[in-house]
Amino acid sequence: MTTPDPLAVRRGRILAVVGIVLLAFSLRSAVASLSPLFDAIGEDFALPAAVLGLIGTVPPLCFAVFGLLAAGFERRFGLERTTLVALGAVGLGLVARAAALDAYGLLFGSALIFAGVGVGNVLVPALVKKYFAERIGLLTTVYTTTMAVSTFLPPLIAVPIADAAGWRTSLGVWAVFAVAGLIPWIVLAVRSRRAAAADVDLEAPSTRVFGRMWRLPTAWALAITFFASSAVAYTSFAWLPKILVDTAGVTTQVAGVLLSLFALIGLPASLVVPALVARRGVVLPLFIVASASGVVGAGGLLVAPASAPWLWVALLGTLPLLFPLVLTSVGLRTRTHDATVALSAFAQSVGYGVTMFMPIGVGVLHDATDSWTAPLVILVGISLLALPAGVVIARRKTVEQEWEQRHGSW
């Protein structure tokens, strides 16, 4: 086995940091940059409600489907090359969406973007594990904070850019970050391929690891946690303004500000949570805080929405602190590279796979009952669901250890 050159390792880590940051930025800016421009786009061509509904459904659907496929892609092509292709798909989709001539062009571009995002979501924890195994908490903080910033920044500046230079420029400008992100991954992909060719002792990736995740409590606990976080987030982004207008009696402008507050709560969580989990092993207390906040926030909107809507929204926005917790735990609850990719794919695919039914399900339930009571009760239940999952994750067992205890050698 060849001995790595320390200088080459350091350069590789620098490239990896730049690549991970640009990848993380592109994974979220693509999601948040379209919806504020629907009015401007609608002046150029028709936007049927059915197509807009499909565009809203595409992200979690692609995250689930391509998250499942990501582990196979990574085994076949390697981590760096798969990352390169995923980021390339995001960049190409952003350009295609900016050049769209009709609503179906927007749908095609969005599908291409979110296919790449679905793969990239799974690979980021594996990239952190590979290049920064001893700094998982720090690097997870870096990329989850980048994701948080790139979630609330595009909606703030999308309309001003469109007013100044047109909606196509406003959509297409985000492709710059994806294209820039290709450069470090091209270099790292070439280096990885050369290293693999030179090292004859590299272990072949296992095709059985992903299948083992279905039989492991930690994998299911992480998937349930991911579902709880993403379900509350996607349901809130889809329906929280209307819930607030209908139940708390606020204006649409105030409801929009409160939705921004909901999103902004995720920023301090992304800065603090990974370090608490990785360095101090704080897991169950974070689950208790997140679960209790979600219960009180959704419960407040259910029982006394007009009394303190700002407080209820802030508390509900605290529950998605579970998102950086899951991403950090993926690296900490695995020993091997294959297990990291498989665990990330399993948790995100199962979580997003169930989440994609939440926004439309909440809408159907509201229409059937003409009330927000049942949807808010569901959010309370989802908040409580996270707590037993936290008990499992807090045991600090790797998935390899669990398998060995239950089924023999890994």
Side-chain angles (χ1 to χ4, degrees):
M1 187 171 181
T2 57
T3 302
D5 177 10
L7 181 59
V9 171
R10 183 179 179 183
R11 290 174 177 172
R13 287 186 170 189
I14 293 173
L15 286 171
V17 169
V18 176
I20 288 171
V21 167
L22 290 172
L23 173 62
F25 191 93
S26 298
L27 294 181
R28 288 297 176 268
S29 61
V31 177
S33 57
L34 177 60
S35 58
L37 301 176
F38 282 151
D39 288 344
I41 297 171
E43 294 178 1
D44 284 0
F45 51 75
L47 294 174
V51 176
L52 292 182
L54 285 173
I55 290 175
T57 305
V58 160
L61 175 62
C62 284
F63 296 168
V65 172
F66 285 91
L68 281 173
L69 297 174
F73 292 155
E74 192 275 337
R75 285 196 304 269
R76 176 66 179 84
F77 302 108
L79 183 59
E80 290 79 8
R81 280 193 289 173
T82 305
T83 302
L84 180 61
V85 172
L87 190 54
V90 173
L92 185 61
L94 286 166
V95 172
R97 196 163 68 175
L101 300 178
D102 55 29
Y104 297 98
L106 287 178
L107 179 60
F108 170 77
S110 295
L112 186 58
I113 290 168
F114 298 125
V117 172
V119 175
N121 282 338
V122 170
L123 298 183
V124 175
L127 291 166
V128 170
K129 178 85 169 181
K130 177 175 180 177
Y131 287 96
F132 305 96
E134 75 287 0
R135 294 287 186 272
I136 289 176
L138 176 60
L139 265 294
T140 303
T141 298
V142 169
Y143 81 77
T144 55
T145 302
T146 301
M147 285 181 171
V149 171
S150 61
T151 297
F152 70 77
L153 179 62
L156 291 178
I157 65 175
V159 173
I161 293 176
D163 290 342
W167 65 264
R168 296 185 187 277
T169 300
S170 184
L171 284 180
V173 70
W174 306 105
V176 173
F177 297 94
V179 172
L182 294 175
I183 298 172
W185 293 117
I186 289 173
V187 176
L188 290 169
V190 171
R191 288 187 175 187
S192 178
R193 190 170 186 179
R194 288 175 180 171
D199 197 336
V200 296
D201 294 327
L202 285 177
E203 182 181 354
S206 171
T207 59
R208 300 187 301 272
V209 175
F210 183 84
R212 293 174 178 174
M213 296 299 144
W214 297 87
R215 303 168 66 182
L216 296 173
T218 293
W220 277 106
L222 287 170
I224 290 169
T225 304
F226 201 92
F227 161 69
S229 175
S230 58
V232 169
Y234 275 87
T235 301
S236 297
F237 282 121
W239 294 110
L240 186 57
K242 184 164 177 56
I243 291 173
L244 290 166
V245 170
D246 291 349
T247 65
V250 303
T251 65
T252 55
Q253 290 83 0
V254 172
V257 173
L258 288 171
L259 183 60
S260 297
L261 172 65
F262 175 89
L264 191 60
I265 295 295
L267 182 57
S270 66
L271 287 169
V272 175
V273 169
L276 289 175
V277 174
R279 296 181 186 177
R280 301 186 180 275
V282 178
V283 174
L284 190 56
L286 290 174
F287 270 92
I288 293 172
V289 169
S291 183
S293 296
V295 168
V296 176
L301 290 173
L302 179 64
V303 176
S307 62
W310 295 83
L311 176 61
W312 309 142
V313 170
L315 288 170
L316 191 62
T318 301
L319 187 138
L321 70 79
L322 297 175
F323 176 72
L325 190 156
V326 170
L327 295 179
T328 307
S329 298
V330 166
L332 296 175
R333 298 298 181 262
T334 55
R335 291 198 309 252
T336 62
H337 170 74
D338 286 347
T340 303
V341 176
L343 182 58
S344 181
F346 180 84
Q348 297 196 45
S349 297
V350 172
Y352 279 128
V354 182
T355 294
M356 69 181 178
F357 297 106
M358 282 296 299
I360 189 170
V362 165
V364 170
L365 190 59
H366 171 261
D367 290 344
T369 62
D370 195 27
S371 168
W372 291 110
T373 298
L376 288 170
V377 169
I378 290 174
L379 291 183
V380 170
I382 290 173
S383 301
L384 289 171
L385 184 64
L387 201 51
V391 174
V392 175
I393 297 170
R395 296 184 306 183
R396 303 188 190 183
K397 289 183 179 180
T398 66
V399 292
E400 293 93 339
Q401 286 176 312
E402 280 190 336
W403 181 269
E404 290 163 357
Q405 290 174 357
R406 291 166 175 263
H407 308 287
S409 65
W410 176 256

